[in-house]
Each structure stands twice: as structure tokens, then as C-alpha cells.
């Protein structure tokens, strides 16, 4: 507390975290940690800790005060960054068949080894950021850039995508909505492979301070460099939800659906995915 009063926020944060290692459910300490992050200007960590603290057994007036901090964070936060790195083992890195013989007009042929399934160990990295300056009382601009690369040590199956978006965001008491222009360029085997552009409508809703739900819907026109027959619109829908179980536990759920209509129907497809996570 003395360190916060002296604006030595890094020292205060270190002490508060030290306490929480042994007492992770102490709401008061977590509240003070969140406030120290807020005063430092680290709004991502401040929001995370405020939501954890609110999930504890705190009085209603404290919850109301936390909600005021969360509202202030949504207005004040200008920069957001993300980075991830992972090893990526793949039993079929070239998305090919595992069979060795094929029939063409009733005649058997041996498939070239280079056209058959290959396994490998790759490295995946993703880095991105967003600048969202406040333009008015309840209006922000969003400008984002993201780069993803999957590298298998050679160039034949390397995959890289650079994407961007920009648009306005309206802020309300417990939710926000964004209308974004989107675009991307993808390289496969270190050669231009696919690009596209379109738009996305996204919203984040705080049902309560414990329940956060987000949803987005978008459409993009895709242009393949080598196979124009695959060109066409891509429609996407995505939702995610997170629930703070306690001051030290969090669960998350995600699901999405994509549909592409290609110029040649054989290239059209639908895909869906889902995921869940738990952190302690």
C-alpha cells in the first residue's frame, strides 16, 4: 500500500502477487493488485484481476465500484498486444493421402512419394496488436494487425498469413459493438497463395461481471492465386464465452462455423470447430 502511494507500482504488484501465491482467493489483495495495474496503465491485467476479485464474496457496493473500473478500462485502453508460440507436430503436414496406389480409368498407378502424406514437427508463432484511441465519449476507433506463421524447417509446407482490420467501436454500459473492414494475405510454401477482403460485425457483452460473451459474423471475398475455380465468398460465425468461477479459477468456451461458396461447386465447403479451456 505504501508502494502504491509512492507510485512505485511495480514493487506493489510484486508484493501483491507474492501474497496471492499462498492465498489465491483473498479478494481484498486481488482488488489492490487490480488497482495497482490500473494506476500503472496496464489495463489488460487490471481487467483480468478485477473480474477475478468480483467473483469472490465481496459486498454489493464493492462490486459496483469494480464495475466502474471495468467501464473506465474499456474507455481508456488504447493498446492491446498478443504473442504466442508453440511446437506443432503434424501427422499430415502436406494434407495429402496416405495410400500408395491409385486407379486412373481402371489402371493402377504408384503415387509419387512427394505426393503422399508426410509427418513433421513445426513451430507456430502468432503476434499482433491493436490501437483503439477514444474519439468521443462512447466512440473508439479500432486498427489492428496480426501475423501468423507455421514453419516446418523447409519452405515446401510453410504457411504464413498477415491480416488487418479497421473500423469504429461503440461503447455502452455493459457491452460494445464494432463494425470492421477486414483484409488478409496468405503465403503457402513461401509463395502468394490466397488473399481476401470484406467486413465483420463483432460484439462483446458482459451479462454479468462473471459472464462475458462475445460474438462476430463476417463475410470476405477470397481470391486464390493458382486455382481461380476456388474463388468465392467466405461466411463466418464465431462465439466465445468465459466464466470466472472464483478469484483464482476461470473457464472458457469457443465455437465457430465457416462456409465458403466457390466458383466451382466441388471446391465449396463447410467447417465448424469448438474448444474449451480451464485455468487455475
Amino acid at each position: 500500500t505504501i508502494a502504491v502511494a509512492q507510485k512505485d507500482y511495480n514493487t506493489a504488484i510484486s508484493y501483491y502477487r507474492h501474497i496471492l501465491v499462498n492465498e489465491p482467493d483473498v479478494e481484498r489483495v486481488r482488488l489492490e493488485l487490480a488497482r495497482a495495474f490500473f494506476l500503472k496503465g496496464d489495463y489488460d491485467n487490471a481487467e483480468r484481476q478485477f473480474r477475478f476479485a468480483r467473483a469472490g464474496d465481496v459486498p454489493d457496493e464493492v462490486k459496483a465500484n469494480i464495475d466502474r473500473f471495468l467501464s473506465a478500462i474499456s474507455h481508456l485502453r488504447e493498446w492491446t498486444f498478443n504473442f504466442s508460440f508453440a511446437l506443432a507436430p503434424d501427422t499430415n503436414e502436406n494434407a495429402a493421402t496416405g495410400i500408395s496406389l491409385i486407379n486412373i480409368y481402371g489402371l493402377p498407378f504408384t503415387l509419387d512419394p512427394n505426393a503422399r502424406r508426410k509427418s513433421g514437427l513445426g513451430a507456430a508463432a502468432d503476434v499482433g496488436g491493436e490501437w483503439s484511441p477514444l474519439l468521443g465519449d462512447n466512440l473508439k476507433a479500432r486498427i489492428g494487425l496480426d501475423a501468423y506463421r507455421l514453419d516446418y524447417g523447409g519452405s515446401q509446407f510453410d504457411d504464413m498469413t498477415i491480416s488487418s482490420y479497421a473500423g469504429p467501436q461503440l461503447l455502452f454500459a455493459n457491452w460494445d459493438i464494432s463494425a470492421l473492414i477486414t483484409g488478409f494475405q496468405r503465403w503457402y510454401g513461401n509463395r502468394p497463395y490466397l488473399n481476401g477482403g470484406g467486413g465483420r460485425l463483432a460484439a462483446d457483452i458482459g451479462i454479468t461481471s462473471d459472464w462475458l460473451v462475445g460474438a462476430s459474423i463476417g463475410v470476405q471475398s477470397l481470391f486464390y492465386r493458382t486455382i481461380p475455380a476456388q474463388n468465392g465468398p467466405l461466411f463466418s460465425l464465431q462465439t466465445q464465452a468465459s466464466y470466472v468461477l472464483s478469484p483464482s479459477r476461470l473457464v472458457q468456451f469457443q465455437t465457430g462455423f465457416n462456409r465458403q461458396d466457390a466458383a466451382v461447386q466441388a471446391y465449396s465447403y463447410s467447417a465448424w470447430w469448438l474448444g474449451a479451456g480451464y485455468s487455475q
Side-chain angles (χ1 to χ4, degrees):
T1 303
I2 293 172
V4 170
Q6 295 174 343
K7 298 184 179 180
D8 187 1
Y9 302 124
N10 288 333
T11 297
I13 288 168
S14 177
Y15 281 134
Y16 288 139
R17 280 181 156 166
H18 233 78
I19 298 170
L20 288 169
V21 167
N22 296 313
E23 301 289 344
D25 291 326
V26 179
E27 300 93 347
R28 177 58 188 268
V29 177
R30 198 169 290 278
L31 271 174
E32 296 296 344
L33 173 61
R35 181 171 173 270
F37 276 125
F38 181 86
L39 294 173
K40 180 185 175 183
D42 187 344
Y43 298 122
D44 286 341
N45 274 317
E47 179 182 21
R48 176 179 173 83
Q49 298 301 333
F50 273 128
R51 295 194 184 280
F52 274 133
R54 200 186 189 285
D57 185 18
V58 296
D60 290 340
E61 57 270 21
V62 175
K63 291 183 178 180
N65 195 36
I66 291 174
D67 290 342
R68 285 191 287 270
F69 271 104
L70 292 173
S71 179
I73 288 171
S74 66
H75 284 74
L76 293 172
R77 179 167 43 201
E78 283 195 9
W79 290 97
T80 302
F81 300 98
N82 66 276
F83 172 77
S84 64
F85 176 82
L87 295 178
D90 197 326
T91 59
N92 192 2
E93 64 183 40
N94 56 331
T97 180
I99 63 175
S100 58
L101 293 175
I102 59 172
N103 288 307
I104 301 178
Y105 296 111
L107 298 176
F109 289 85
T110 301
L111 198 63
D112 188 286
N114 291 325
R116 296 172 60 190
R117 177 191 301 170
K118 295 180 182 296
S119 61
L121 177 64
D126 184 84
V127 60
E130 177 181 299
W131 180 45
S132 53
L134 191 65
L135 304 179
D137 291 340
N138 296 300
L139 177 65
K140 300 183 78 173
R142 295 183 61 187
I143 302 171
L145 184 67
D146 188 86
Y148 169 82
R149 182 170 178 85
L150 178 61
D151 197 304
Y152 283 104
S155 61
Q156 190 175 5
F157 306 121
D158 293 347
D159 195 351
M160 184 173 73
T161 301
I162 295 178
S163 57
S164 61
Y165 60 87
Q169 180 185 42
L170 290 174
L171 303 174
F172 300 93
N174 297 315
W175 63 289
D176 61 72
I177 187 168
S178 304
L180 305 171
I181 297 173
T182 63
F184 75 95
Q185 171 71 54
R186 182 181 175 188
W187 293 262
Y188 191 76
N190 293 328
R191 296 178 180 178
Y193 173 66
L194 169 67
N195 64 280
R200 183 170 83 245
L201 195 64
D204 292 301
I205 305 169
I207 298 176
T208 68
S209 291
D210 301 331
W211 267 110
L212 285 177
V213 177
S216 66
I217 184 171
V219 60
Q220 289 184 317
S221 294
L222 304 186
F223 301 95
Y224 289 82
R225 293 294 183 93
T226 58
I227 310 177
Q230 289 185 263
N231 294 351
L234 173 69
F235 303 93
S236 61
L237 175 66
Q238 181 175 323
T239 61
Q240 61 274 339
S242 62
Y243 180 64
V244 184
L245 295 167
S246 75
S248 61
R249 295 179 298 147
L250 173 74
V251 291
Q252 295 176 306
F253 307 94
Q254 296 180 337
T255 184
F257 175 79
N258 290 340
R259 169 66 188 177
Q260 186 190 351
D261 291 324
V264 174
Q265 187 61 29
Y267 290 112
S268 298
Y269 72 90
S270 298
W272 65 272
W273 56 269
L274 59 86
Y278 171 85
S279 63
Q280 169 76 47

